[in-house]
Amino acid sequence: MALDMLLSRNAGVLAVIAATGLTLTSIPAAAHAEHVAVSRRAADPGAEAAGGPAADRLADRTGREVAGAGAPALPTGVSARAWTVTDVRTGDVLAARNAHQRLAPASTLKTLFAVTVLPKFRAGAVHKVTPQDLTGIGPGSSLVGIQEGRSYRVADLWRGVFLRSGNDAVRVLAAMNGGWSATAREMQARARQLGARDTSVKSPDGYDSPGQVSSAYDLSVFGRAGLANADFARYCATTTARFPSRGSPSFEIQNTNRMLSGASGMRRYPGIVGVKNGYTSNAGNTLIAAAERGGRTLLVTVLNPQSGASNAVYQEAASLLDWGFRAAGKARPVGSLQAAAAPGGRAAPSADGARSGAGHRSATGRPVAAEVSREPGRWSETALWAVAGGFAVALAVGAVFGWRMYVRGRRTSGDGS
């Protein structure tokens, strides 16, 4: 009887050990699953925006403005249908409204075109324009004045894209890149690679086309990715440049971004970096603008202001940048672009007759993947596996001990006890 009680007691202990060991063994699996999920979100940051698990808080489409705790009051009078304020270095979104609402982007989509195509051709490479290169330009398009039969350096073509928003320059560069449709497909793939899930590319120049949309979130991703490229950063900061002409050596072109040029009733925004403005009848006024102050670079995207005021897109962008610089370091981010930036470096000085602002550092983005094992108050995955391993060993020892007790009990019972 005493032996039966001992065996029963040991069985209970062994059951507790087994249950504890199995439970704790599952903990690192759960931690691993969480780590994998976070890593997947970092590798494919648009998944949350697309409505995946733990949906992005920026996906709100109710028109509500969101800003992190501790932030100063958001500026009043911002009438844009959608906007974001982002820290370029970290990718943190400080505030937003309708960040994932899909809207026509107009020429701000040229940022994605540049991110996709600009790295492929040397600035000094020369291309002779054919009639086929300029086929299909939409009526009413903004043009820089590309002429058939004339040869242009790639740098001239990019200044035509960034300063004059020339759809003719985009057509020529797209032709060099394999054609209009191929470039659109490549831009679509690049958008997905960057985690931009709201964008559908139909016309690489941003011209209104059925089904062509993007979002404040995606355009911010493209602007941030572009600023990580020194050539992009230089072109988008250029205020005026000389452009080749058949009738004369060259003529001057000016950037249509009024925050950069200080034209048409706007003052040049202090610390302005660029990036790209746009307008179509369907999209209204659109703008991606970046500025640097106190060693911090912020980027705002403003889509389709509804106030009807002159220069509204620029004024609203300026007020959001002002707010962002006040809020930086105080406000908890409401989300992240989670987009990988290219390796950093200082932008090359402007050349070839181009006049631009001071040189800008290319933006560098930190990896956004959360390191679960290093978050305050959490055990690392390694530690959890070590604990589980210890309990597994204890479980095995207990099982051996129990088996030995069981065998002893059987022998004793066989002896007539």
Side-chain angles (χ1 to χ4, degrees):
M1 180 67 68
L3 184 56
D4 289 341
M5 291 177 62
L6 176 61
L7 291 174
S8 177
R9 188 179 302 128
N10 285 331
V13 172
L14 290 175
V16 171
I17 292 174
T20 306
L22 290 172
T23 300
L24 288 175
T25 302
S26 67
I27 292 176
H32 179 69
E34 179 180 6
H35 177 76
V36 169
V38 172
S39 299
R40 286 176 178 168
R41 290 196 296 271
D44 187 8
E48 291 183 351
D56 192 337
R57 282 179 291 169
L58 297 181
D60 175 65
R61 290 179 172 81
T62 64
R64 181 174 59 88
E65 298 173 345
V66 291
L74 287 165
T76 59
V78 179
S79 65
R81 294 181 64 186
W83 53 262
T84 57
V85 182
T86 305
D87 186 303
V88 171
R89 183 183 67 83
T90 63
D92 291 338
V93 180
L94 305 181
R97 177 184 181 187
N98 289 337
H100 291 290
Q101 184 174 2
R102 297 182 176 187
L103 299 168
S107 286
T108 53
L109 193 65
K110 289 182 171 76
T111 55
L112 175 59
F113 174 74
V115 166
T116 305
V117 178
L118 194 155
K120 295 188 173 187
F121 304 104
R122 293 182 299 104
V126 176
H127 176 78
K128 185 174 182 179
V129 177
T130 69
Q132 292 75 23
D133 291 347
L134 299 176
T135 300
I137 297 176
S141 288
S142 54
L143 304 172
V144 68
I146 302 292
Q147 298 167 332
E148 296 177 9
R150 183 178 179 89
S151 296
Y152 295 87
R153 291 179 303 166
V154 166
D156 293 325
L157 295 173
W158 281 116
R159 281 190 280 271
V161 171
F162 278 93
L163 275 70
R164 293 298 301 170
S165 202
N167 288 2
D168 49 354
V170 175
R171 285 274 171 177
V172 174
L173 286 163
M176 295 172 62
N177 189 54
W180 196 246
S181 298
T183 299
R185 290 192 298 271
E186 189 176 350
M187 288 170 64
Q188 188 71 69
R190 184 67 174 132
R192 293 297 182 265
Q193 185 181 41
L194 290 169
R197 298 282 174 175
D198 304 321
T199 298
S200 178
V201 180
K202 305 298 181 182
S203 183
D205 54 6
Y207 192 82
D208 284 341
S209 300
Q212 179 154 277
V213 292
S214 190
S215 67
Y217 179 96
D218 284 11
L219 292 168
S220 298
V221 168
F222 306 149
R224 181 177 179 237
L227 289 173
N229 179 294
D231 291 329
F232 183 110
R234 183 177 72 253
Y235 289 130
C236 80
T238 300
T239 306
T240 61
R242 305 297 301 181
F243 194 81
S245 173
R246 177 175 294 168
S248 60
S250 63
F251 61 94
E252 185 174 272
I253 57 174
Q254 184 179 63
N255 202 308
T256 57
N257 181 351
R258 298 176 186 177
M259 291 186 76
L260 184 67
S261 66
S264 303
M266 282 296 298
R267 66 181 181 90
R268 180 183 169 93
Y269 187 84
I272 187 68
V273 173
V275 175
K276 190 72 190 74
N277 58 310
Y279 173 81
T280 66
S281 56
N282 185 37
N285 286 291
T286 60
L287 176 66
I288 307 169
E292 185 178 6
R293 187 181 301 173
R296 187 187 300 271
T297 302
L298 298 183
L299 182 145
V300 301
T301 297
V302 178
L303 299 181
N304 200 354
Q306 300 294 293
S307 70
S310 176
N311 291 324
V313 73
Y314 302 106
Q315 293 168 349
E316 294 184 13
S319 67
L320 288 170
L321 281 169
D322 288 343
W323 175 89
F325 285 116
R326 292 196 306 270
K330 301 175 184 177
R332 184 177 64 186
V334 297
S336 175
L337 297 184
Q338 297 185 342
R346 186 174 295 278
S350 59
D352 304 319
R355 296 197 299 274
S356 66
H360 303 287
R361 291 183 182 274
S362 57
T364 56
R366 69 183 183 189
V368 183
E371 297 180 5
V372 174
S373 62
R374 299 182 183 179
E375 292 182 5
R378 292 196 182 190
W379 288 6
S380 71
E381 190 174 339
T382 302
L384 287 171
W385 278 109
V387 172
F391 272 90
V393 171
L395 180 61
V397 172
V400 171
F401 176 75
W403 175 254
R404 293 182 63 184
M405 292 296 296
Y406 173 75
V407 170
R408 284 188 58 190
R410 295 282 295 178
R411 289 175 179 173
T412 303
S413 176
D415 289 341
S417 59

